[in-house]
């Protein structure tokens, strides 16, 4: 009888310890998943921001007249620039056009709301050649907006008043759970326009 009692007590203690360890492991896994999701979103936002800054720094370069160096198409209902096209000339005088097109990429639930995801597809046309796709953003953008700003950072539509270009976007974290505390990363880049 004491042997059976000791075996039952040992089994009960072992099962309790196993449940505690399992609970700790589950919480650690959820925490690591949330941290990884946050880090992925931050890295994607930083990489896309760097890419935009490098690209947009070329607007109007080597051109005699900057007045028609860019063109935007805005969705009036949301913070979405559906298409942004700009151009510059190489040192040899070849005209290069770059176009960003906003495309739907799916949906994701964020804070109980279904959000549409977007991606920016980048195409380039050199000289009289055809448009060639040359990259794309992460496929989990929440919004993408390009604004032309005057010297007071006020949005303007007249190309002759433009002093800088502002790009705003958000990257939605790829994995969402209750532990995810950074569900969306917002970035803004302002590029001087000369």
């Amino acid at each position: 009888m004491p042997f059976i009692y000791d075996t039952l007590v040992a089994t009960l203690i072992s099962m309790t310890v196993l449940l505690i360890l399992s609970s700790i492991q589950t919480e650690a896994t959820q925490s690591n998943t949330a941290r990884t999701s946050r880090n992925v979103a931050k890295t994607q936002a930083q990489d896309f921001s760097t890419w935009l800054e490098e690209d947009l720094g070329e607007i109007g370069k080597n051109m005699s007249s900057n007045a028609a160096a860019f063109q935007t198409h805005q969705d009036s209902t949301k913070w979405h620039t559906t298409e942004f096209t700009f151009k510059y000339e190489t040192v040899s005088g070849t005209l290069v056009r770059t176009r960003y097109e906003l495309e739907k990429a799916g949906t994701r639930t964020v804070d109980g709301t279904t959000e549409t995801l977007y991606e920016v597809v980048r195409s380039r046309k050199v000289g009289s050649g055809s448009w060639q796709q040359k990259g794309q953003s992460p496929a989990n953008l929440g919004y993408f907006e390009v604004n032309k700003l005057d010297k007071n950072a006020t949005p303007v539509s007249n190309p002759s008043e433009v002093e800088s270009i502002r790009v705003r976007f958000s990257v939605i974290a790829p994995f969402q759970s209750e532990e995810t505390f950074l569900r969306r990363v917002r970035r803004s880049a302002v590029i001087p326009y000369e």
Side-chain angles (χ1 to χ4, degrees), residues 51-81:
W51 175 55
L52 287 170
E53 288 173 5
E54 289 173 1
D55 244 10
L56 297 176
E58 299 288 325
I59 294 177
K61 188 176 180 182
N62 299 323
M63 294 177 65
S64 58
S65 170
N66 293 340
F70 52 83
Q71 179 178 352
T72 60
H73 297 283
Q74 199 77 13
D75 180 345
S76 60
T77 60
K78 295 187 176 208
W79 273 21
H80 295 310
T81 299

Side-chain angles (χ1 to χ4, degrees), residues 11 34 48 86 126 193:
T11 302
F48 186 46
F86 62 93
V126 179
Y193 177 68

Side-chain angles (χ1 to χ4, degrees), residues 2-190:
F3 177 72
I4 293 174
Y5 178 73
D6 289 341
T7 303
L8 286 174
V9 169
T11 302
L12 184 61
I13 291 172
S14 298
M15 294 304 276
T16 302
V17 169
L18 186 63
L19 285 173
I20 291 171
L21 292 175
S22 175
S23 173
I24 291 171
Q25 180 62 35
T26 301
E27 286 180 31
T29 300
Q30 289 175 349
S31 178
N32 285 338
T33 301
R35 185 177 19 246
T36 300
S37 179
R38 178 197 68 214
N39 291 341
V40 166
K42 288 172 82 173
T43 300
Q44 287 177 335
Q46 185 60 44
D47 290 346
F48 186 46
S49 181
T50 301
W51 175 55
L52 287 170
E53 288 173 5
E54 289 173 1
D55 244 10
L56 297 176
E58 299 288 325
I59 294 177
K61 188 176 180 182
N62 299 323
M63 294 177 65
S64 58
S65 170
N66 293 340
F70 52 83
Q71 179 178 352
T72 60
H73 297 283
Q74 199 77 13
D75 180 345
S76 60
T77 60
K78 295 187 176 208
W79 273 21
H80 295 310
T81 299
T82 54
E83 186 177 312
F84 180 66
T85 306
F86 62 93
K87 58 188 173 181
Y88 65 92
E89 286 185 8
T90 63
V91 175
S92 63
T94 305
L95 185 64
V96 178
R97 292 179 182 89
T98 304
R99 177 176 63 204
Y100 297 151
E101 294 176 290
L102 189 67
E103 297 181 358
K104 291 184 180 178
T107 59
R108 179 162 302 135
T109 302
V110 180
D111 292 328
T113 305
T114 301
E115 300 239 359
T116 303
L117 300 178
Y118 299 91
E119 70 180 341
V120 173
V121 177
R122 176 180 178 244
S123 302
R124 183 162 274 178
K125 182 178 183 178
V126 179
S128 60
S130 60
W131 288 100
Q132 302 288 322
Q133 184 174 335
K134 296 288 184 178
Q136 60 196 42
S137 72
N140 53 335
L141 296 180
Y143 61 84
F144 176 77
E145 182 183 40
V146 178
N147 300 117
K148 299 168 286 209
L149 306 176
D150 66 8
K151 63 183 178 184
N152 298 318
T154 304
V156 293
S157 57
N158 185 351
S160 65
E161 297 176 11
V162 176
E163 294 286 327
S164 60
I165 306 289
R166 177 181 61 200
V167 180
R168 297 188 287 190
F169 64 92
S170 70
V171 175
I172 296 176
F175 317 110
Q176 301 281 329
S177 71
E178 291 178 11
E179 299 258 334
T180 307
F181 63 89
L182 186 62
R183 300 181 189 283
R184 177 186 316 259
V185 177
R186 293 174 176 86
R187 288 284 188 266
S188 175
V190 178

